[in-house]
Amino acid sequence: MLNPNNDRLDYGQILAPPAGYYLDFAVGTTYSLDLDALVGASLALGLSEETDSELMNNPVCLLEALRSTGDKVALFCEGGQIHMPNRVTPLYILLEKMVFSVKTAKKRGIAAYPSFHPKFWLIRYKNNEGSLKYRVIILSRNLTFDRSWDITYVMDGEVVKTGSDKNEPICDFLRYLVSQTPSDENGKAKARGIRALIRELPNVAFTPAEKEFYDFEFIPNGVRKQGGGFYQFDDTPLFQDTFHEILIMSPFLSGGIIRDFNNRNRNSLIKDARYMLITREMSLGRLKPEDISNFKIYTMRDAVIDGETAISGESQEIQKQDIHAKVYMVRKYSSSDLYLGSLNASHNAVHGNVEFMICLRSKNRYLNMDKLTAALFGSEKDGSDNPFQEVTLQNAIIDEEDEKTKALDAVVKDINRSNPSAYARQEEEDFYSVNVHFDACDTKDYQVSVRPLLSKREEGFGEDIVFTRLSVTQLSEFYVISVSDGERTVERVLIIPTEGLPVDREKAVVSSVVSNRDCFYRYIAFLLGDDTILSVLEANTAAGEVGSSANRQAYHVPALYEKMLQTAAVAPEKFKGIEYLMKTISEDGIIPDDFKKLYETFKKAVRFNG
C-alpha cells in the first residue's frame, strides 16, 4: 500500500481519462505551481500522454493539449507561489484561462498569512454515448517537478440513483473555490462548471478499490460548511481521541502540535501506546525533548536524499529529495484510520490554512504500525533497503538558508496582496504599452523588479510601472516578480488582472505555431491520428517539396475525407480542434483551398455544427 518500491503512481496516469472517455471538466488545487508542470497535466488530461512526454517539445501537440483543456480546467493555487517555468513560449497565454490565484485573509493567532495549501483534483470524464465517470484525487504533492516523496489516493465514482451527503465536504470545498473565481467572463464560465459538479456530486458514489478500507470521509480544513460554521481539523478524532498506535509522517512540524499527540494518552487508561514520527531532519530543530518524549523518530537517509544527484552525473542541477508526504495512521483497539492529504503537523496548517484530507477506515488486521512500517522500511528496519534511519533530537539541523528564502517569499505575498492591476493600450499598429499599478508596499530592505512573463523588459518595483513596445504575443496576465536581499533571489509569477488585452492574442499565438501548410497538415494528422499524412509530410520534406503543389495533392483528398468520416463516427470531439483551427488561423495561404472545400463538404455530410 505504501511501499516506495512497488506502489508508485504517475501523476499523468492518474489524470488521464479512462479508456473510451475524454475530459469533460476538471477542478484542481495546489499550493505551488510550475507552469511547465501544468502543461504536462494538460497533456495528460487532454491527450492521455505522460506529463514528461516528448510531446512537450512538439508545439503542435502542445497547442492541441492547451486548446482542448483550456475551457475545461480550473486550477487554483496560492497567490505568489507560481514558479518560473524553464522554458517560456507564447503558448503560455493559453494557460491564463486555467489558473486562478487565491489570496487568504489574515487570521487571529496566525503570525503569517494562512496558506491555500490543498492538493486536490475532481475530474469528470465523458464518452461519446454521454456516460459520465468521476475521479477524486487527494495528494500531498504540488503541481511542480519537485523530487520529494509524496502520497496520493485516487477513487473513481459512478452516477447512482440514490443520493447521499457523503460528498458534501467536497461540495463545500468547491463552493469556497467558486468564491475565489474572478468576475470576468472566463471566471464566470469556470464558476458555472464548478457549480455543475456541486449539483451532481450528491448522486456520485466513490468506492475505495482496496479491500483494506471499508469506509472513508472527505475532510477539508478552513472552509465554511453549508450548514454553518467551518471545517476545522482539530475537531476530528485525529486531534481528539486517544489511541494505541500513532504514526505521523510530516515534513514540517510545530512543537505544540506534536506535543499534543505526545501527551494525548496522559490521563487515559492506555499505558502501552506506540508512537512514531517520520519527518525531515531540518524540522527537528523546532521540537523540544518534552514535545517528543514518547516518539521514535525517523528521517530519510542522506544517501537517499542525495541519491539522484549521485547517480545523475550529467545533471548540472542538484535535485535532492526528501519527505513531503503527509500521513497519519491511528489505531485504537481493532479499528485503524489512515489520514492522507496536504496537512502538515504544524500550527498554521491545523489552525489557519485551507487544506484537504481523506480519512480511510480500516481494521487492525489490515492496517497497523507494524504493517505500515514494514511497507515503508522494507523487510528489516536496519536493512540496507530501508530509506529511513532512526534519529534523536541531537540530529536536528537548522536550515538558515530556507528561513531566509521564506522571508523573500513573504515579500512576494505582500506584493501579491497590494491590489495589483494593469491596463494595456495600443500605441502603434503592432505594439502595445502596459501600465501596472500596485498599492503601497514596504519593500525598502529588498531589491524588487517586475517584468511581463513573455518579455525581457524589466522595471524596478513601484506603485506605477509602464512597459512599452510590447508585441501582441508578449502581452499576458502573468508577470514575474523578482525579490533579492543581495545574497538570495526568488522569482515568482503573479497573475495581475489586465484590462485592454486585444481579443486576437490567441489568434496570434496559434498563427505563431501553425505558421505554414506543413504545420497545418501536421495538426490535422495529429487530430485524426493519421500516420499516412505524417508519412507523406516526411517523404516530401526529405525530397525538399514541402509547400509545393505536388505536396498538397499528395494528401489524397478522398482518403483524407474517408478518414475524417471515420473519426466523426468514433471520436467527434476531435473535430473541435479542426473547427478551432479554421476559425482561428487568420493568415492567408495557411489553410489550403482544397482542404477548405473538403471540410465544408464534410460538415454538410455529417451535419457537423462546430
Side-chain angles (χ1 to χ4, degrees):
M1 183 168 51
L2 289 178
N3 187 305
N5 296 318
N6 302 327
D7 299 319
R8 301 227 175 201
L9 293 174
D10 178 86
Y11 207 138
Q13 290 176 355
I14 64 176
L15 294 177
Y21 285 75
Y22 58 85
L23 172 68
D24 194 47
F25 193 79
V27 56
T29 67
T30 181
Y31 171 71
S32 53
L33 169 65
D34 188 306
L35 293 178
D36 286 336
L38 178 54
V39 172
S42 298
L43 282 171
L45 287 164
L47 306 181
S48 298
E49 289 287 337
E50 296 180 3
T51 54
D52 59 353
S53 165
E54 284 298 315
L55 296 186
M56 286 283 285
N57 301 316
N58 186 324
V60 167
C61 298
L62 286 185
L63 174 58
E64 174 55 17
L66 299 181
R67 180 212 64 81
S68 63
T69 56
D71 293 327
K72 299 178 179 181
V73 174
L75 182 74
F76 296 82
C77 68
E78 166 81 4
Q81 279 298 322
I82 303 177
H83 294 191
M84 273 294 295
N86 289 325
R87 49 183 178 271
V88 179
T89 79
L91 282 171
Y92 282 10
I93 289 174
L94 304 181
L95 296 178
E96 291 174 10
K97 62 174 65 176
M98 298 188 205
V99 185
F100 303 93
S101 65
V102 178
K103 303 174 186 177
T104 56
K106 282 268 191 180
K107 272 191 179 181
R108 184 176 299 175
I110 304 296
Y113 286 105
S115 293
F116 178 77
H117 197 253
K119 301 94 167 61
F120 168 94
W121 284 93
L122 178 65
I123 309 174
R124 181 178 61 216
Y125 306 106
K126 193 174 185 178
N127 67 12
N128 292 328
E129 284 72 48
S131 296
L132 299 175
K133 287 184 181 292
Y134 297 79
R135 181 169 295 164
V136 63
I137 307 167
I138 295 95
L139 315 95
S140 64
R141 183 176 181 79
N142 291 304
L143 190 49
T144 68
F145 294 110
D146 185 81
R147 300 289 180 172
S148 294
W149 290 27
D150 277 290
I151 188 79
T152 299
Y153 190 74
V154 183
M155 275 195 298
D156 285 343
E158 302 278 355
V159 177
V160 294
K161 294 181 179 180
T162 305
S164 78
D165 59 359
K166 193 76 171 174
N167 299 329
E168 188 60 29
I170 296 182
C171 294
D172 288 335
F173 181 65
L174 295 182
R175 290 184 184 103
Y176 173 82
L177 297 182
V178 168
S179 73
Q180 302 300 313
T181 56
S183 58
D184 59 18
E185 288 304 311
N186 178 58
K188 290 178 181 177
K190 296 299 171 61
R192 286 193 296 271
I194 298 172
R195 290 192 186 100
L197 291 175
I198 294 172
R199 290 192 298 270
E200 297 161 9
L201 278 171
N203 290 98
V204 176
F206 293 103
T207 306
E210 303 82 7
K211 67 176 183 179
E212 291 90 349
F213 305 124
Y214 68 87
D215 197 8
F216 64 91
E217 180 182 2
F218 298 117
I219 312 176
N221 188 63
V223 302
R224 190 180 298 275
K225 295 180 179 179
Q226 182 76 349
F230 285 81
Y231 290 93
Q232 295 293 344
F233 233 100
D234 53 1
D235 293 333
T236 64
L238 176 63
F239 287 89
Q240 296 291 330
D241 286 359
T242 55
F243 49 79
H244 288 94
E245 293 179 344
I246 187 164
L247 182 150
I248 300 172
M249 180 183 291
S250 176
F252 307 112
L253 309 171
S254 291
I257 299 296
I258 298 300
R259 185 166 59 251
D260 173 72
F261 286 113
N262 190 72
N263 299 336
R264 183 78 57 81
N265 291 327
R266 176 174 291 177
N267 298 319
S268 76
L269 297 177
I270 299 175
K271 303 302 179 185
D272 57 349
R274 300 168 67 191
Y275 304 73
M276 182 177 293
L277 173 67
I278 303 173
T279 188
R280 293 185 176 186
E281 199 170 50
M282 55 167 280
S283 294
L284 296 178
R286 297 183 176 276
L287 304 179
K288 299 176 181 178
E290 59 267 28
D291 299 334
I292 203 95
S293 57
N294 291 323
F295 279 87
K296 287 188 175 182
I297 312 170
Y298 291 84
T299 61
M300 190 170 274
R301 296 181 187 274
D302 289 343
V304 178
I305 292 175
D306 298 327
E308 189 169 350
T309 305
I311 64 175
S312 181
E314 298 178 1
S315 176
Q316 299 299 310
E317 182 180 353
I318 296 175
Q319 295 179 318
K320 293 192 176 185
Q321 52 192 359
D322 208 333
I323 283 295
H324 192 253
K326 291 85 173 171
V327 178
Y328 303 80
M329 192 287 296
V330 182
R331 182 186 68 79
K332 187 172 185 179
Y333 298 113
S334 64
S335 296
S336 299
D337 289 343
L338 185 65
Y339 294 82
L340 308 172
S342 65
L343 189 86
N344 284 297
S346 69
H347 180 82
N348 283 8
V350 175
H351 299 292
N353 291 355
V354 176
E355 308 273 359
F356 201 97
M357 300 284 282
I358 187 171
C359 174
L360 298 163
R361 297 204 163 89
S362 185
K363 292 295 182 180
N364 177 51
R365 63 182 177 273
Y366 294 123
L367 179 66
N368 54 53
M369 186 176 290
D370 289 332
K371 288 183 178 292
L372 206 54
T373 54
L376 290 168
F377 294 169
S379 55
E380 298 180 16
K381 281 188 179 181
D382 298 324
S384 58
D385 61 340
N386 184 358
F388 301 98
Q389 60 186 349
E390 188 171 0
V391 298
T392 66
L393 287 189
Q394 293 179 340
N395 296 89
I397 58 174
I398 303 296
D399 191 339
E400 295 182 358
E401 287 300 311
D402 183 65
E403 293 300 316
K404 291 175 181 177
T405 300
K406 286 181 180 177
L408 300 180
D409 270 325
V411 176
V412 177
K413 280 196 171 188
D414 286 338
I415 293 173
N416 188 52
R417 286 169 171 78
S418 67
N419 196 31
S421 61
Y423 178 79
R425 61 183 178 86
Q426 192 168 7
E427 58 183 19
E428 299 177 35
E429 183 178 356
D430 296 322
F431 294 100
Y432 292 77
S433 65
V434 177
N435 294 60
V436 183
H437 173 78
F438 299 89
D439 288 348
C441 187
D442 183 12
T443 61
K444 64 179 183 296
D445 294 329
Y446 302 92
Q447 297 86 53
V448 183
S449 63
V450 185
R451 66 176 174 85
L453 176 64
L454 301 174
S455 170
K456 294 183 179 180
R457 298 177 185 273
E458 188 174 77
E459 299 290 343
F461 181 78
E463 290 190 26
D464 291 286
I465 305 169
V466 179
F467 298 97
T468 60
R469 291 188 63 77
L470 298 176
S471 67
V472 171
T473 54
Q474 290 177 320
L475 297 175
S476 172
E477 292 195 320
F478 292 132
Y479 294 81
V480 180
I481 302 292
S482 176
V483 180
S484 174
D485 61 4
E487 297 180 12
R488 286 153 295 274
T489 300
V490 299
E491 284 190 327
R492 298 288 184 263
V493 178
L494 299 189
I495 300 174
I496 300 180
T498 304
E499 296 183 7
L501 292 172
V503 295
D504 59 349
R505 274 193 314 149
E506 194 164 323
K507 286 188 175 183
V509 172
V510 173
S511 296
S512 71
V513 174
V514 188
S515 56
N516 55 51
R517 294 189 178 187
D518 179 73
C519 287
F520 174 81
Y521 273 118
R522 287 185 185 278
Y523 203 129
I524 300 301
F526 179 72
L527 288 171
L528 298 179
D530 193 340
D531 293 334
T532 302
I533 298 178
L534 291 175
S535 298
V536 171
L537 280 168
E538 290 166 2
N540 287 333
T541 299
E545 297 175 358
V546 171
S548 70
S549 176
N551 177 53
R552 293 197 299 274
Q553 294 303 317
Y555 290 112
H556 307 299
V557 168
L560 182 56
Y561 182 79
E562 182 179 352
K563 181 67 178 179
M564 291 167 69
L565 287 174
Q566 292 172 352
T567 305
V570 299
E573 270 286 302
K574 293 185 177 182
F575 280 93
K576 290 184 179 180
I578 298 180
E579 185 75 5
Y580 174 82
L581 271 189
M582 303 297 283
K583 291 181 176 179
T584 308
I585 292 176
S586 56
E587 295 292 326
D588 292 336
I590 300 297
I591 304 176
D593 291 336
D594 53 0
F595 187 86
K596 290 180 182 178
K597 294 176 183 178
L598 170 66
Y599 190 61
E600 289 303 316
T601 303
F602 163 80
K603 287 176 65 175
K604 292 176 183 177
V606 300
R607 297 180 181 177
F608 175 65
N609 61 10

